[in-house]
Amino acid sequence: MTYTLVKFDGTRFFLTRFLSAAVLLLLILQTSFYLSEKSEFEDRRSSISSALERAETIIQTELAEFATDFHILSHDDRLLAFATGDEDMHQPTLRDFMAFAEHKPSITQIRVINDKGHETIRIDRNDGFLHQIPADSLQNKSGRYYFDEALKLKTGQIYFSPIDLNVERGQIEIPWRPMFRLAAPLQTDWEGKRSVLVMNINATRLLKNVIDTQVAATSPIQLANTDGYWLLGAPEPKLWGFMFGRDTRLEVENPLLWTKITEKGAGEFDHDGVLYVFRTIMQGKFAPSLAGHVSPSIRNVSLIAFSEIPLPTVAGSWNLPATLLAAVLMAVLAAICIAWAQAAEARHTAERGKLEAQTEMMRRERMASLGGLVAGVAHELNTPIGSAVSVGSTLSSRVQEFLEMMNSGKILRSDLQTFENDLSAGMTILLRNLDRAADLIGHFKQVAMDQTSERRREFELNDCVQDVLASISPQFRGKKIVIVREIEPGLTLVSFPGALAQVLINLITNAQMHAFGEDQSGQITIVGKAIGTNEVELVVADDGHGIPEDLRQQVFEPFFTTKLASGGNGLGLSIVRNIVETVLGGTISASNAQDGGASLTLRFPKVSPFGAAGFTQEKEDAKQQQAA
């Protein structure tokens, strides 16, 4: 029987390993990238929330400082005297205004407007320097909302205007200068008239404080006023829409976000793959020291700050660095799999060489066994065939004598009876010897056919053992060794009878050689029985010397023998183990009996796991072989 390895397919080996490892690697990378993106998302959300909180704190602090300073300025004695008609206080008031605004760069303008809306005194900051505006350049502000709203307040209250763009002489200044104003009505003069103190504050730095807080955030923060108009963070056509008559409001462009802002004021929600974080800055809370002086108009300065963060997604986690990393790892993985395939091919080639060497050893051992069987059978056939020849020759002579008697006419009835008796006895002996020869040849033919066949078939274990024992019986003629067979009847196998016969021949021959001394009598017992429903146990035991304990683990190793000087080659049991494991699909073990002798125990399945796909064809071939 020849056993060969399946042809090694390097491409298939590489592809199966690479694709499996690549899928696993991609899953690991995907999980890692997604978790990284999710962690980055959480960091961004936390950073934006913290930034908005810091922005509110900064703006609220600055507004409180401006309001406190403005409140102090509105109670200046020289200013109040000027407001009630004391023109001598004009220059002192101007100097007070200049000193007040000198170290406060955000203050761009301080002015007093009389009850008719005309500016009576004013300083401006231009190019970083403070300037007194001449009387002929003073303007009428009677139509401005902050003037009208301030006149409605009680003396001592402060009006906060919404943030808008500065307007000079009816035109929006370019570049844009965001402004908010503080205004307060002054005490009335003797005619009951009131002037209004107005301070313009450049809101650029105030708004920039919100933007600057996103240093740690990657998502831009957008700003809108309480009417939903964008002030910062949007494309220029959307900014300051209320100043240009454009309806660019959140309520129009993102009504869901606007609804959430107006309902909650601050918080977050996700919609359509985007997380919105929002906060309304300055919702009426202010400096406790100004309680009672701040009008409800403080809400005019409220800002809505919000940001949009894309929610983490599987596809979104594959950015350029992640893709490059995956490509590099895939290239490394491909190189590893190529090296793996090359090593596997080299190992496969070595195993093929080893298997071919083992197969060649098994073939030679099988041929040697067949040679021994042929010699034994040939010797055994000499006796029955020789007897048949002798009987045939004697019968031929008797027939010739009988014919001569008949030709001479001197034949008696007694002679006829004697010839009949001799012929009958001779034919009986002749047929008995020929039957014995045919039976011996039949057993040998079955063993030889199984030995040279590589197909499995269905057979009875008892028949296989009987064929083997009949074939090797000539080798035991004249020896004092008895072979006892105890096989469970009806034990049917679907396996390789030739391989099993080879195992039995080697085990019996090994027992004959190693278990008994020269001319020593003994017994070899072959026991076969079913173990459970799927296995068979076959034991070849002897009552000889047994196996030394220190050698028991070595008996199945190739070329190990204790009979090297007597012609042993150390391959018998090694070949047996190879056949049992690789052909019969079983195991073999060696042990010693308590009362002496060695036992070699085989366990193998009733149905060999090898060659199952071709079993139908094997049965047909077996029938044809048996018919032949």
Side-chain angles (χ1 to χ4, degrees):
M1 182 174 291
T2 303
Y3 314 101
T4 59
L5 289 172
V6 178
K7 182 180 178 181
F8 184 81
D9 188 341
T11 302
R12 182 179 180 182
F13 182 94
F14 166 77
L15 288 176
T16 54
R17 271 65 178 179
F18 174 74
L19 292 178
S20 300
V23 169
L24 180 59
L25 176 61
L26 286 176
L27 288 176
I28 294 173
L29 289 176
Q30 177 62 82
T31 302
S32 175
F33 293 157
Y34 178 75
L35 292 178
S36 176
E37 186 189 19
K38 191 173 181 181
S39 176
E40 182 181 349
F41 167 81
E42 294 296 336
D43 290 344
R44 290 165 64 186
R45 178 169 66 177
S46 176
S47 177
I48 289 174
S49 296
S50 299
L52 297 184
E53 290 179 9
R54 289 195 301 272
E56 181 172 29
T57 301
I58 292 171
I59 291 177
Q60 194 163 276
T61 300
E62 289 201 6
L63 284 180
E65 290 178 359
F66 284 128
T68 301
D69 291 342
F70 183 75
H71 179 69
I72 294 171
L73 180 63
S74 67
H75 287 76
D76 181 74
D77 292 337
R78 286 183 285 266
L79 169 63
L80 294 177
F82 173 74
T84 56
D86 187 353
E87 289 296 328
D88 293 336
M89 293 294 107
H90 184 275
Q91 287 302 319
T93 300
L94 272 174
R95 288 194 297 271
D96 288 343
F97 283 179
M98 297 286 282
F100 180 80
E102 183 177 0
H103 300 294
K104 301 180 186 301
S106 293
I107 298 176
T108 61
Q109 192 176 85
I110 302 176
R111 51 192 163 162
V112 177
I113 304 174
N114 64 21
D115 64 321
K116 301 298 183 181
H118 292 285
E119 295 176 341
T120 57
I121 187 170
R122 172 178 164 181
I123 64 168
D124 282 357
R125 186 187 299 276
N126 293 317
D127 300 326
F129 297 98
L130 293 172
H131 303 278
Q132 175 186 345
I133 304 302
D136 58 355
S137 297
L138 296 177
Q139 303 175 29
N140 188 300
K141 298 294 183 179
S142 59
R144 300 296 286 165
Y145 67 91
Y146 51 84
F147 171 71
D148 295 335
E149 293 295 330
L151 286 177
K152 297 176 184 179
L153 301 179
K154 297 176 182 179
T155 302
Q157 286 188 309
I158 302 173
Y159 171 78
F160 288 79
S161 77
I163 296 177
D164 57 15
L165 298 179
N166 193 51
V167 176
E168 288 294 337
R169 303 191 184 278
Q171 299 294 322
I172 297 174
E173 277 191 312
I174 296 177
W176 296 342
R177 283 205 300 167
M179 293 285 177
F180 78 91
R181 301 161 185 84
L182 300 179
L186 301 176
Q187 63 185 18
T188 59
D189 61 10
W190 58 274
E191 294 181 347
K193 298 176 182 179
R194 289 202 301 178
S195 298
V196 174
L197 176 65
V198 180
M199 183 168 69
N200 287 17
I201 298 173
N202 189 339
T204 301
R205 191 170 67 88
L206 194 68
L207 300 181
K208 190 173 181 295
N209 284 333
V210 180
I211 304 302
D212 285 346
T213 57
Q214 62 176 309
V215 173
T218 57
S219 298
I221 293 178
Q222 303 178 53
L223 285 179
N225 62 19
T226 53
D227 292 325
Y229 286 98
W230 269 278
L231 306 183
L232 286 177
E236 186 173 308
K238 289 185 179 183
L239 298 178
W240 307 100
F242 63 95
M243 298 293 298
F244 300 98
R246 297 193 294 258
D247 194 17
T248 52
R249 292 178 297 138
L250 276 174
E251 184 177 7
V252 176
E253 301 202 15
N254 196 335
L256 179 60
L257 174 59
W258 181 251
T259 300
K260 296 289 186 181
I261 290 173
T262 54
E263 287 178 354
K264 298 183 178 180
E268 60 183 49
F269 74 97
D270 60 85
H271 175 68
D272 200 19
V274 176
L275 177 74
Y276 295 91
V277 182
F278 58 91
R279 188 180 190 89
T280 303
I281 300 173
M282 291 296 296
Q283 300 189 73
K285 299 178 181 178
F286 210 61
S289 61
L290 294 177
H293 296 286
V294 177
S295 74
S297 64
I298 183 62
R299 294 183 177 86
N300 292 334
V301 194
S302 295
L303 298 174
I304 299 168
F306 61 96
S307 185
E308 303 173 4
I309 313 173
L311 292 172
T313 61
V314 172
S317 62
W318 286 91
N319 51 27
L320 180 59
T323 303
L324 291 176
L325 175 61
V328 171
L329 292 179
M330 285 295 177
V332 173
L333 180 62
I336 292 174
C337 289
I338 289 173
W340 189 6
Q342 292 173 343
E345 185 173 13
R347 184 174 64 252
H348 186 86
T349 301
E351 291 177 354
R352 180 183 293 276
K354 178 182 177 181
L355 186 59
E356 288 176 352
Q358 291 176 343
T359 302
E360 179 62 19
M361 284 194 306
M362 292 171 62
R363 187 189 67 80
R364 292 183 180 183
E365 184 73 10
R366 186 166 62 248
M367 292 301 101
S369 298
L370 285 175
L373 290 178
V374 168
V377 169
H379 181 272
E380 186 70 9
L381 286 175
N382 282 337
T383 299
I385 292 176
S387 298
V389 170
S390 297
V391 171
S393 177
T394 300
L395 289 178
S396 177
S397 299
R398 288 291 290 125
V399 168
Q400 188 63 35
E401 290 176 2
F402 181 74
L403 291 175
E404 289 177 356
M405 292 175 63
M406 286 184 63
N407 291 333
S408 63
K410 299 179 180 180
I411 187 169
L412 300 176
R413 184 177 180 84
S414 58
D415 293 330
L416 183 59
Q417 186 65 41
T418 301
F419 176 72
E420 180 182 359
N421 292 337
D422 291 343
L423 186 60
S424 176
M427 291 300 295
T428 300
I429 295 172
L430 181 63
L431 290 174
R432 184 171 62 247
N433 280 281
L434 290 177
D435 284 342
R436 181 181 174 191
D439 185 60
L440 186 59
I441 290 172
H443 286 299
F444 174 74
K445 177 184 176 184
Q446 184 62 57
V447 172
M449 183 174 64
D450 288 337
Q451 286 278 68
T452 55
S453 172
E454 294 185 3
R455 292 188 178 273
R456 73 176 188 171
R457 64 179 176 85
E458 186 175 83
F459 62 95
E460 295 287 330
L461 178 61
N462 188 56
D463 294 342
C464 179
V465 175
Q466 183 179 356
D467 289 338
V468 169
L469 294 182
S471 299
I472 65 173
S473 60
Q475 300 179 23
F476 287 83
R477 191 170 303 282
K479 297 183 180 294
K480 301 176 182 179
I481 299 174
V482 178
I483 300 178
V484 177
R485 173 168 48 112
E486 300 177 3
I487 306 299
E488 182 179 313
L491 195 51
T492 303
L493 307 180
V494 179
S495 192
F496 298 88
L500 184 57
Q502 178 73 52
V503 168
L504 285 171
I505 291 171
N506 282 22
L507 292 180
I508 295 171
T509 303
N510 187 75
Q512 175 194 355
M513 179 181 295
H514 296 279
F516 309 105
E518 194 70 27
D519 296 329
Q520 181 183 352
S521 61
Q523 177 176 300
I524 298 174
T525 305
I526 304 173
V527 180
K529 61 182 179 179
I531 302 297
T533 57
N534 300 319
E535 279 193 314
V536 173
E537 182 179 83
L538 186 63
V539 180
V540 178
D542 61 68
D543 57 357
H545 304 310
I547 305 172
E549 286 295 327
D550 58 335
L551 301 180
R552 191 184 304 173
Q553 300 300 324
Q554 305 177 52
V555 295
F556 294 109
E557 294 180 5
F559 307 109
F560 175 77
T561 179
T562 59
K563 296 288 186 177
L564 187 61
S566 304
N569 58 15
L571 294 176
L573 292 184
S574 174
I575 291 175
V576 165
R577 183 177 67 175
N578 196 322
I579 294 174
V580 170
E581 293 177 352
T582 62
V583 181
L584 302 181
T587 60
I588 184 171
S589 60
S591 61
N592 287 328
Q594 292 182 352
D595 53 353
S599 285
L600 286 101
T601 303
L602 287 72
R603 280 200 173 191
F604 55 92
K606 291 182 179 179
V607 179
S608 171
F610 305 107
F615 180 54
T616 301
Q617 182 62 42
E618 293 165 10
K619 293 177 68 174
E620 295 299 324
D621 293 347
K623 290 179 180 179
Q624 294 177 8
Q625 289 178 350
Q626 291 173 355

